[in-house]
Amino acid sequence: MTKLQEKTGLTNPKSVVQFKTYLEKHGICQDSLCQKDVDQLLKTSPEDICEALGLRKQLMKNSVRKYQAMQDAVCRDGRLRGMFRFYGASRSGRWSAHLVQLQNLPKNHISDLEQARKLVKTGDYKMLDLLYDPALVALSELVRTALVARPGFTFLVADYAAIEARVLAYLAGETWRIGVFASGEDIYCASASRMFRVPVEKNGLNQDLREKGKIAELALGYGGGIGALKSMGAAEMGISEENLQSLVASWRVSNPHITQFWWDVDQAIRETIRHHTQTEVRSIRFLCKRNMLFIHLPSGRDLCYVKPRISRNRYGNECITYEGTGSSGSWERIESYGPKFVENIVQAVSRDILAHAMKILREYRIIGHVHDELLMEIPVDSESNMADLTSKVEKICSDMCQTPEWIRGLTLDAEGYCTDYYRKQ
């Protein structure tokens, strides 16, 4: 903050209005100061402007504020509690994060985490800044590692592999994808191979196409288009804008059952709302009752949407709406359609599978969970060895993959590891 104030002469460089004024004085008119726009400016601006932009980018890094959130929320015994709210996500029934927001911790990419942690713990920020320029980036990546196991224990982290993609393929009946998951193949290679009709191997033949398959898989499963690819960083991966539409079309042609599933769900919900009749699409049932739309999941749980209605959107097209809490946090009428309902359904089923695993693993001390991941604290002593821990990890991952009775035929996979502090493997 001090550096940026000296550099710009602004009293509050965090202010968008003030910083825009500073840029205008240097002949740069900028409508937005979001991260992507700032990254673009850094490529074209003079050196002194780039320095100011770089400092402001560090200053606006929200993730480092989680250290303060941890200090504010920690109990007298050094533990964090109340981090999860049951059924906090009303659309899917997932747990939502509370206080420290463990569900959106930044990932760690630093290879030598242990050294970086030691520098922070000893307060050697000059060395931290020297080795990981800038230091705030390192501090951001170390947020996750601030969560440590209590003495005599270690963390065991286990998470499902591509659970949403597996559930979507199962519910839609996309058999080629189900086969890929069952055989343990790389879904990004398999998807790219099917999209571009050539063999694609990870770190091998046509490996450049794997990245296109990966971004398509991550962005397009719930009806996403060009905008979804852009937000997932298609441009940064070197995919030109004129190729984006063909990428969308190729993915949808390669996944006809998923694409059909979106619109079958859309049609079923419209019919249910219009005629107050029960409809069904591939084991998912839809029912309107007491001015509510219920989606009955394979687990037996229902998703509920208040006051469903067939309305007109801002373009004059027919759409499905219901009442709920919008992005602003206020109660409002929300517009939706088939692919969005499918996203809710898939995330809800994935949540129910995780809950099933938590019940199986109830003998262990589960202290946290993030969508498809479980964080457990297990005891270790001087006699414990790596083989014992490896065996325990394998046993827990195996238990997590016990498919619930209500979704027989779904293939699950999980991976895990032990660590003294929370991190991404």
Side-chain angles (χ1 to χ4, degrees):
M1 173 66 85
T2 303
K3 282 184 181 178
L4 196 52
Q5 285 173 330
E6 292 172 353
K7 179 76 180 173
T8 63
L10 301 175
T11 55
N12 180 18
K14 294 174 76 171
S15 165
V16 174
V17 174
Q18 286 192 29
F19 203 83
K20 280 184 180 180
T21 303
Y22 165 76
L23 291 175
E24 286 170 3
K25 285 181 180 178
H26 291 79
I28 300 172
C29 293
Q30 186 69 21
D31 293 331
S32 167
L33 290 177
C34 69
Q35 184 173 326
K36 285 188 177 181
D37 292 325
V38 170
D39 288 341
Q40 199 61 40
L41 270 177
L42 285 167
K43 297 176 183 177
T44 58
S45 300
E47 186 177 340
D48 58 334
I49 299 298
C50 284
E51 185 182 347
L53 287 167
L55 287 168
R56 188 177 189 279
K57 190 175 176 181
Q58 293 180 53
L59 189 64
M60 299 307 293
K61 210 163 186 63
N62 290 326
S63 52
V64 294
R65 298 175 190 170
K66 287 190 181 290
Y67 291 114
Q68 187 61 50
M70 289 177 184
Q71 289 185 324
D72 292 343
V74 71
C75 300
R76 290 181 180 178
D77 59 357
R79 307 285 290 190
L80 290 171
R81 294 179 174 83
M83 297 293 105
F84 304 93
R85 183 181 287 117
F86 181 75
Y87 215 104
S90 59
R91 312 280 194 271
S92 63
R94 282 173 163 179
W95 287 266
S96 62
H98 190 47
L99 299 175
V100 179
Q101 300 290 325
L102 299 186
Q103 292 181 354
N104 64 355
L105 295 177
K107 291 184 178 180
N108 48 265
H109 303 286
I110 296 174
S111 56
D112 49 350
L113 280 175
E114 193 59 49
Q115 175 180 270
R117 293 181 81 250
K118 284 179 179 177
L119 291 174
V120 174
K121 289 167 75 174
T122 56
D124 193 348
Y125 296 109
K126 287 187 178 179
M127 182 60 70
L128 192 74
D129 200 44
L130 182 67
L131 294 177
Y132 305 101
D133 180 36
L136 275 174
V137 173
L139 285 168
S140 174
E141 293 198 20
L142 291 174
V143 167
R144 191 179 294 264
T145 73
L147 304 175
V148 297
R150 58 179 166 158
F153 287 77
T154 189
F155 284 153
L156 193 156
V157 185
D159 69 316
Y160 286 112
I163 187 170
E164 284 192 33
R166 291 168 186 266
V167 170
L168 177 59
Y170 176 89
L171 293 178
E174 199 67 75
T175 52
W176 74 266
R177 297 172 69 89
I178 295 171
V180 168
F181 289 125
S183 61
E185 297 176 55
D186 184 292
I187 186 61
Y188 303 141
C189 287
S191 183
S193 179
R194 194 172 178 89
M195 288 167 63
F196 304 110
R197 301 182 184 280
V198 294
V200 178
E201 300 173 3
K202 188 176 182 180
N203 302 321
L205 190 65
N206 296 313
Q207 61 177 328
D208 57 307
L209 295 179
R210 182 181 182 272
E211 286 303 304
K212 293 185 178 180
K214 180 177 181 179
I215 195 169
E217 284 295 309
L218 296 175
L220 306 179
Y222 301 125
I226 291 176
L229 289 171
K230 286 181 177 178
S231 64
M232 288 297 295
E236 289 79 359
M237 294 172 65
I239 304 174
S240 61
E241 188 160 350
E242 55 265 27
N243 290 328
L244 295 181
Q245 186 56 54
S246 63
L247 200 62
V248 173
S250 296
W251 191 91
R252 293 185 180 181
V253 168
S254 301
N255 295 276
H257 292 90
I258 290 176
T259 303
Q260 189 61 47
F261 186 49
W262 299 338
W263 307 120
D264 286 347
V265 167
D266 188 87
Q267 185 61 37
I269 291 176
R270 288 169 188 265
E271 187 178 339
T272 296
I273 294 171
R274 278 198 182 98
H275 306 294
H276 287 78
T277 184
Q278 180 174 303
T279 58
E280 184 171 334
V281 178
R282 299 190 58 85
S283 77
I284 309 294
R285 296 204 304 273
F286 307 92
L287 175 68
C288 264
K289 187 169 57 176
R290 294 189 294 275
N291 211 13
M292 304 278 193
L293 168 68
F294 293 97
I295 300 180
H296 190 70
L297 304 173
S299 62
R301 187 165 66 88
D302 288 333
L303 300 182
C304 180
Y305 300 84
V306 179
K307 297 181 181 179
R309 185 187 303 166
I310 304 298
S311 307
R312 294 278 174 186
N313 61 23
R314 60 186 181 278
Y315 305 110
N317 300 322
E318 194 178 78
C319 66
I320 303 165
T321 64
Y322 60 90
E323 290 186 5
T325 306
S327 56
S328 63
S330 59
W331 191 260
E332 59 191 57
R333 184 152 285 276
I334 298 168
E335 183 181 326
S336 194
Y337 69 131
K340 191 66 181 176
F341 284 110
V342 168
E343 181 179 21
N344 294 166
I345 291 166
V346 169
Q347 291 183 348
V349 171
S350 302
R351 175 261 178 216
D352 291 347
I353 291 170
L354 182 72
H356 174 79
M358 291 169 72
K359 290 168 73 175
I360 292 175
L361 298 169
R362 57 186 174 271
E363 65 182 275
Y364 298 97
R365 182 180 175 86
I366 299 173
I367 61 170
H369 43 87
V370 179
H371 298 325
D372 60 353
E373 179 184 83
L374 293 177
L375 175 62
M376 288 161 271
E377 203 172 46
I378 60 173
V380 291
D381 52 45
S382 57
E383 297 179 1
S384 298
N385 56 50
M386 188 57 67
D388 294 334
L389 292 176
T390 301
S391 176
K392 189 162 288 187
V393 169
E394 290 174 352
K395 173 68 167 60
I396 286 173
C397 289
S398 175
D399 288 344
M400 283 179 70
C401 293
Q402 292 183 31
T403 307
E405 290 288 334
W406 44 265
I407 197 164
R408 279 193 170 280
L410 174 69
T411 303
L412 295 172
D413 188 27
E415 296 180 342
Y417 53 94
C418 288
T419 175
D420 292 332
Y421 47 83
Y422 191 34
R423 60 186 172 88
K424 278 291 183 184
Q425 181 79 305

